[in-house]
Amino acid sequence: MLRVGVIGTSWWADRAHIPGLKTIPGVEIEAISGRNPERLKIIADKYEIPGRYTDYHDLLKSDKIQAVCIVTPNYLHYPITMEALSRRKHVLCEKPLAVSFYQAKEMYDKVKEVGVRHMVPFTWRFVPAAMRMKELIDEGYIGRVYHIEARYLAGWLSNPDIPASQRTQKKIAGTGALSDTGSHLIDFIRWTAGDFKAVVADMAIFIDERKEEMTGKMVKVDIDDSTIFMAKLTNEAQAVIHVSRVAKTRENYINVEISGEDGTLIFELEVEGEDWAIGKLYGSQKDDVKPQPLPIPERLLKNYEEAKSNLTGRFLFAKIMQAFKEGIESGREPVPNFYDGMKVQEVMQAIEDSSVKRKWIEL
């Protein structure tokens, strides 16, 4: 039995991490930690979690716990992970791995030194249409990659009356749209098309003040609402990427088009409707035929019907947690892991630097 501790009681822990863990045979959630005692009790009671801590240090001291899932604000990822690793716990840490490349590198160096398993849940890798896209690219469907156009558009901050939160403050989140959604696209492109070589970027804040919910005071927003950047990959492919949290009417919309010498593939996903978690895949290898819908093999849809009550947790995160468990049991590194998280952080750091310096930044 793999005994896991969950650090964080956010909506995302409730929707994704905990349901994912509860789906996997041979996994038991031994304890949970959260700073708000009332919220802690609600979540622990809901999932019948016996151990309850308002201080994560106490959870990490428990010898019963072999692995932890860190579902906290971004700025806490580094200190919690480093303490967990010092106690030789296996760690699954939410993205972005840290708030700077330097922190992420320390985390990766430490996990190599300690020798435990580690993972970063870049969710969209586990969508069936995305998995099929990766398979086709690896099989040579598009041949040499020429260029990528990618968008991740969300609109939850397009209303200026939405209050300030931990996700709109640099000291807590690091960056805004870039780390929130851009980290996913950077990882997706690394996974499917190749590593990044250089970037040039522009980061924009369109709604520069928001009301603080507790005090009613207007506070400055100091992280990006929208980021757009161009990139050159190590294989000389070009990429154009746009991420936004102020794309009005969009909830979660992803579109990645990868073209090469032999064809084009398009991955598309929007979080709406019953079957959103399958995603959509289009492709063509013929000059006179536009990309057409491509079938998703049944083997990639295992357990889909049973998980429809919560596709995020019981389908996508179930796959993530299963990979984490199998990595721990086999001693092989699950993917994506801290190396991938560090490489994404390196690209995001270069994007920030480029936006400030107004020039191309080599990685």
Side-chain angles (χ1 to χ4, degrees):
M1 181 67 69
L2 177 65
R3 300 187 185 278
V4 178
V6 175
I7 300 176
T9 56
S10 67
W11 69 277
W12 193 237
D14 185 20
R15 181 183 176 187
H17 285 249
I18 297 174
L21 287 166
K22 297 288 280 188
T23 304
I24 308 303
V27 170
E28 183 173 327
I29 304 177
E30 177 68 30
I32 185 167
S33 170
R35 292 177 291 190
N36 183 322
E38 292 180 8
R39 175 69 177 171
L40 176 62
K41 185 179 187 309
I42 289 170
I43 297 297
D45 287 351
K46 179 179 178 179
Y47 294 103
E48 300 179 325
I49 301 171
R52 303 167 186 205
Y53 301 92
T54 54
D55 188 333
Y56 74 81
H57 299 287
D58 294 329
L59 182 149
L60 290 174
K61 290 175 185 174
S62 173
D63 293 333
K64 294 180 181 179
I65 294 169
Q66 302 155 280
V68 293
C69 289
I70 299 171
V71 203
T72 65
N74 299 348
Y75 79 104
L76 291 172
H77 292 179
Y78 172 80
I80 297 174
T81 294
M82 295 301 277
E83 181 174 343
L85 294 177
S86 71
R87 296 182 181 279
R88 302 190 66 82
K89 312 286 189 189
H90 306 286
V91 178
L92 183 148
C93 180
E94 253 302 333
K95 62 83 201 165
L97 185 56
V99 295
S100 73
F101 169 64
Y102 309 103
Q103 283 187 350
K105 187 175 186 307
E106 278 191 53
M107 293 160 80
Y108 178 61
D109 289 343
K110 183 68 174 179
V111 86
K112 285 195 299 179
E113 173 194 324
V114 174
V116 295
R117 305 284 73 80
H118 46 99
M119 197 167 183
V120 180
F122 287 112
T123 320
W124 308 123
R125 286 198 191 201
F126 296 86
V127 172
M131 297 171 75
R132 184 57 182 153
M133 182 188 214
K134 166 69 169 168
E135 289 177 350
L136 289 172
I137 289 172
D138 289 348
E139 291 166 10
Y141 186 97
I142 64 172
R144 176 190 166 198
V145 178
Y146 285 165
H147 52 75
I148 305 107
E149 286 75 35
R151 297 187 296 159
Y152 193 145
L153 305 179
W156 67 278
L157 280 176
S158 59
N159 183 347
D161 293 331
I162 296 293
S165 70
Q166 63 187 26
R167 295 172 77 184
T168 61
Q169 299 175 57
K170 186 172 183 62
K171 65 181 181 181
I172 295 177
T175 57
L178 178 58
S179 60
D180 201 7
T181 57
S183 59
H184 280 297
L185 280 190
I186 293 165
D187 177 72
F188 196 99
I189 290 167
R190 286 191 64 250
W191 177 53
T192 54
D195 259 315
F196 286 74
K197 180 180 180 182
V199 297
V200 63
D202 183 68
M203 303 174 75
I205 300 171
F206 294 109
I207 302 171
D208 59 4
E209 283 190 330
R210 292 186 184 272
K211 186 177 289 187
E212 208 168 41
E213 203 162 24
M214 296 292 288
T215 66
K217 294 180 180 178
M218 297 301 291
V219 295
K220 286 288 185 183
V221 173
D222 57 359
I223 51 179
D224 54 304
D225 286 322
S226 172
T227 290
I228 188 166
F229 65 99
M230 294 189 296
K232 177 78 80 171
L233 304 189
T234 54
N235 57 13
E236 299 304 314
Q238 297 174 314
V240 178
I241 298 111
H242 181 208
V243 295
S244 173
R245 300 193 297 189
V246 292
K248 204 171 186 69
T249 77
R250 291 294 192 186
E251 183 177 350
N252 252 314
Y253 174 73
I254 305 169
N255 179 285
V256 181
E257 181 166 339
I258 306 179
S259 297
E261 61 183 334
D262 296 325
T264 292
L265 287 167
I266 302 168
F267 166 70
E268 188 174 53
L269 181 145
E270 185 147 24
V271 182
E272 65 175 9
E274 186 181 57
D275 292 330
W276 67 266
I278 295 174
K280 297 176 181 177
L281 182 63
Y282 305 88
S284 178
Q285 294 176 300
K286 298 180 179 179
D287 294 340
D288 57 346
V289 177
K290 293 180 180 179
Q292 303 294 309
L294 298 179
I296 308 300
E298 284 295 321
R299 59 184 165 79
L300 298 179
L301 301 175
K302 185 180 178 183
N303 300 326
Y304 181 78
E305 290 298 324
E306 300 89 330
K308 280 193 173 180
S309 61
N310 178 358
L311 289 171
T312 301
R314 299 184 68 239
F315 182 63
L316 298 178
F317 264 78
K319 293 183 181 186
I320 291 167
M321 297 306 179
Q322 182 64 37
F324 187 44
K325 176 176 179 280
E326 288 176 358
I328 292 169
E329 292 176 340
S330 69
R332 294 189 295 270
E333 297 295 355
V335 289
N337 53 44
F338 277 23
Y339 176 78
D340 300 295
M342 178 188 69
K343 294 299 289 183
V344 168
Q345 206 79 46
E346 182 182 29
V347 177
M348 292 197 298
Q349 187 73 61
I351 289 166
E352 284 191 85
D353 293 346
S354 172
S355 185
V356 171
K357 297 176 181 177
R358 317 306 295 169
K359 67 176 187 178
W360 279 89
I361 301 291
E362 301 276 340
L363 279 78

